[in-house]
Amino acid sequence: MSAGVPALRLEDITCRFAARDGGGAYTAVANTSLTIAAGEFVSVVGPTGCGKSTLLNVAAGLLAPSQGSVSVFGQPLIAADGVNRRAGYMFQADALMPWRTGIDNVVAGLEFRGVPRAEALAQGEAWLRRVGLAGFGDRYPHQMSGGMRKRLALAQTLILSPDILLMDEPFSALDVQTRQLMENELLALWAEDRKSVLFITHDLEEAIALSDRVVVLSAGPATRPIGDFKVDLPRPRDVSEIRMTPGFLALHREIWAAMKEEVLKAYAAQKAA
Amino acid sequence: MRLRTLQILVVCLVVAFWYVMTAPGLIPPFYFDKANRAAFFFGEPQKVFWVIVEWFATGEIFGHLGVTLLETALGFLIGSVFGLAIGLWLALSPTASAVMDPYIKGFNSMPRVVLAPIFAVWFGLGIWSKVALGVTLVFFVVFFNVYQGVREVSPNLIANARMLGASRRQLLRSIYLPSAMSWVFASLHNAVGLAFVGAVVGEYLGSSRGVGYLILQAEGTFDINTVFAGILVLTAFALALDAAVGSVERRLMTWQPRASETEKV
Ligand SMILES: Nc1ncnc2c1ncn2[C@@H]1O[C@H](COP(=O)(O)OP(=O)(O)OP(=O)(O)O)[C@@H](O)[C@H]1O
Ligand SMILES: [Mg+2]
């Protein structure tokens, strides 16, 4: 798995945001390198505001880093030339088209690719069933709950079967039961064709339960990875059962020890600001 | 229901007041020196009523209303299409927008009604000079709304569509256009109202058909009752137009959340 070209490689990425009205520039991410092998499931955890979404935007080709380079399956990715076409991105914020019904949102990507309408709709209905939204296809986003919208966004991204999946806290709006269902569903989908996944979360347990590797980011500003933990728990996993195993608990303790200090630091910094 | 009763009462009172003040010889003249002067200046409600009845009975009014409606519709459609196209273009092209900015502002601040005589010279006294006036009025309302609408599309929505593989053209069709359209619909009442104003003012300033022409002609012969009749017909017509726009709007904007949507059980 580690042999061959990595699916995604971020090299020495620095992102500095120009300051508005006078203040100093803000360095969100500094000198960060991250490699995701083909077929690997990597989670990134870090305190709020540390720059996780920023890093993902760089990987998606939506944001040009101030410094550093990105390559996708060996090809350099240049944001000015367009987005990362091998990747699907599930955004943290709502990004559904409010004027399209559920099903029309799900098939949007197929439509952009010129797939015939009837075929797109058939696939779309299948995906709605998979994310538990069968029968809700004719609702508009504003008629759905936050969790339903998240699942709709998941279907919208996965229907295109991207080689790389970028997910920004996709399940944080869901209740515990639905969340575990969706996590298991994601793992099942991932096991089918081994996409490369870069998964961002606040939730360390979720990160360990899902991933092959967990990367811990430091608190901002100038965020960088401060820990990289291999998760060699057996697969296939069931996310609710694996949380009880001794291997999981040991990893959790180890990673939490590394994270705790950063979380407190971030909290103190935001309280002071 | 009570509210309706009160509203009708207000109309009755106004009409009664109008009648009492203008009916020749009903009360002694206290401002004018002759008994029938008030009627000359302010008309008489019952005569206004009969003018309207006659218009509809003989069918004379329908041709004029039809012309006014046609001018309104054309002014609205052409103005909207131009507003939409140029709004999209300027919103998506920063250079063009920077270049055009002072001219757009200038044209917008110009009182465009003064263009009516020029349009009459350019397009003649037929419907097109009225349509042109309507277009200049509608254009800016739609233009500014589209411009604003496109500028305020959520960056997230654009990023998502790009990640889903939308080309620039598809982005225009499935993100910018729907988003701009929702702003156009928000200004629909305004735009239709202005197209109507353009049509009537245009007719008033020189025409051979239309409700504005009826008023113009009646003024020429000091027939104040017909002037009031024309004004009343125009008002009723504007209200009907506004209601029609409202129902179109409701049909087209189902995707937008409304303030409260739960049903009473
Ligand atoms: N466009 C921008 N301009 C200026 N500062 C920005 C911009 N985008 C993000 N930032 C700053 O960069 C930092 C990182 O933001 P980012 O959204 O990546 O955080 P995050 O790790 O995803 O947080 P969360 O877990 O709360 O989603 C924040 O301090 C934020 O204020
Ligand atoms: Mg984020």
Side-chain angles (χ1 to χ4, degrees):
Chain A
M1 200 153 68
S2 52
V5 220
L8 188 64
R9 189 185 179 90
L10 306 180
E11 238 166 322
D12 196 28
I13 298 291
T14 298
C15 284
R16 202 168 17 246
F17 289 110
R20 295 233 170 103
D21 32 84
Y26 183 82
T27 309
V29 179
N31 308 103
T32 296
S33 297
L34 192 64
T35 305
I36 305 188
E40 197 181 18
F41 196 127
V42 177
S43 285
V44 171
V45 291
T48 176
C50 72
K52 303 184 293 294
S53 300
T54 305
L55 214 51
L56 215 54
N57 285 335
V58 169
L62 290 168
L63 182 70
S66 316
Q67 182 197 314
S69 64
V70 183
S71 60
V72 180
F73 291 103
Q75 306 290 323
L77 175 74
I78 296 158
D81 298 347
V83 295
N84 185 344
R85 313 224 46 114
R86 307 280 298 263
Y89 191 165
M90 214 186 133
F91 289 82
Q92 182 173 15
D94 226 351
L96 295 166
M97 290 170 252
W99 46 80
R100 286 192 181 215
T101 56
I103 183 79
D104 281 330
N105 262 295
V106 172
V107 301
L110 296 178
E111 192 186 305
F112 294 148
R113 279 166 176 67
V115 176
R117 178 93 182 144
E119 192 190 324
L121 283 181
Q123 283 190 46
E125 291 293 351
W127 270 103
L128 280 180
R129 265 197 302 285
R130 265 178 121 152
V131 296
L133 286 178
F136 288 100
D138 56 355
R139 292 228 198 158
Y140 287 95
H142 77 91
Q143 295 169 318
M144 298 190 183
S145 74
M148 290 162 87
R149 286 202 285 267
K150 276 284 175 208
R151 283 180 280 155
L152 199 61
L154 185 68
Q156 188 185 48
T157 305
L158 291 179
I159 197 170
L160 296 173
S161 186
D163 298 320
I164 304 171
L165 255 179
L166 307 171
M167 308 179 86
D168 198 346
E169 302 184 24
F171 303 140
S172 51
L174 304 180
D175 62 276
V176 180
Q177 284 82 11
T178 317
R179 184 172 181 160
Q180 291 185 349
L181 280 176
M182 297 305 298
E183 286 167 357
N184 278 334
E185 183 74 15
L186 177 65
L187 281 185
L189 285 167
W190 174 75
E192 265 174 34
D193 50 5
R194 289 280 166 147
K195 300 172 190 318
S196 313
V197 184
L198 181 52
F199 188 95
I200 283 178
T201 175
H202 274 131
D203 183 349
L204 183 54
E205 291 192 23
E206 182 178 48
I208 302 173
L210 294 175
S211 333
D212 296 321
R213 240 169 73 209
V214 175
V215 175
V216 179
L217 295 182
S218 71
T223 298
R224 72 222 130 64
I226 50 165
D228 191 331
F229 301 85
K230 201 145 189 65
V231 181
D232 40 14
L233 299 173
R235 291 192 190 268
R237 301 175 189 165
D238 179 294
V239 289
S240 52
E241 281 165 20
I242 201 158
R243 279 164 214 241
M244 314 300 169
T245 61
F248 180 96
L249 293 171
L251 258 170
H252 189 276
R253 232 184 336 267
E254 185 189 350
I255 303 178
W256 179 240
M259 259 183 91
K260 198 167 159 185
E261 202 178 325
E262 295 303 324
V263 173
L264 291 175
K265 224 190 277 175
Y267 181 66
Q270 288 192 351
K271 219 164 71 168
Chain B
M1 213 50 242
R2 236 179 93 75
L3 197 66
R4 226 351 91 78
T5 322
L6 287 175
Q7 284 170 340
I8 291 171
L9 194 67
V10 169
V11 173
C12 292
L13 278 177
V14 169
V15 172
F17 179 73
W18 186 6
Y19 177 76
V20 169
M21 295 309 282
T22 56
L26 190 66
I27 54 171
F30 57 89
Y31 179 77
F32 297 106
D33 46 5
K34 283 206 193 115
N36 61 357
R37 271 296 146 83
F40 178 78
F41 282 109
F42 295 101
E44 287 171 86
Q46 79 280 15
K47 287 191 182 159
V48 169
F49 176 74
W50 286 116
V51 171
I52 295 176
V53 167
E54 201 190 307
W55 274 346
F56 281 91
T58 60
E60 186 195 351
I61 191 77
F62 294 118
H64 294 290
L65 266 180
V67 168
T68 305
L69 180 64
L70 180 67
E71 290 161 355
T72 305
L74 285 173
F76 169 72
L77 283 178
I78 298 174
S80 296
V81 168
F82 274 109
L84 191 62
I86 296 185
L88 277 174
W89 175 50
L90 290 192
L92 294 176
S93 155
T95 329
S97 127
V99 171
M100 297 304 287
D101 184 59
Y103 304 106
I104 295 280
K105 281 206 182 106
F107 269 114
N108 186 43
S109 356
M110 180 164 72
R112 270 156 277 134
V113 175
V114 302
L115 292 176
I118 302 179
F119 287 146
V121 173
W122 289 352
F123 301 108
L125 293 180
I127 65 167
W128 291 106
S129 55
K130 288 82 193 169
V131 172
L133 187 60
V135 167
T136 59
L137 295 174
V138 170
F139 171 81
F140 285 93
V141 176
V142 174
F143 169 81
F144 283 114
N145 273 291
V146 168
Y147 189 75
Q148 188 83 352
V150 171
R151 283 296 178 93
E152 289 186 6
V153 179
S154 142
N156 249 313
L157 219 52
I158 298 166
N160 191 32
R162 287 180 65 200
M163 290 310 293
L164 293 173
S167 62
R168 253 190 88 76
R169 193 192 201 91
Q170 286 165 332
L171 218 53
L172 184 72
R173 254 201 45 161
S174 50
I175 305 290
Y176 290 118
L177 205 57
S179 173
M181 283 314 278
S182 71
W183 284 69
V184 171
F185 287 130
S187 63
L188 209 57
H189 286 276
N190 227 331
V192 170
L194 281 174
F196 187 61
V197 167
V200 172
V201 169
E203 285 168 0
Y204 184 74
L205 290 177
S207 61
S208 53
R209 301 194 68 190
V211 183
Y213 165 73
L214 282 183
I215 296 179
L216 176 66
Q217 208 186 25
E219 265 178 14
T221 58
F222 294 104
D223 181 0
I224 206 75
N225 289 321
T226 307
V227 173
F228 274 114
I231 291 172
L232 285 179
V233 168
L234 280 181
T235 307
F237 189 67
L239 283 176
L241 209 56
D242 205 58
V245 169
S247 79
V248 168
E249 193 179 21
R250 271 192 297 284
R251 184 113 12 110
L252 289 173
M253 299 303 273
T254 43
W255 61 268
Q256 272 199 343
R258 297 215 193 92
S260 74
E261 265 180 326
T262 53
E263 262 175 53
K264 287 267 180 295
V265 284

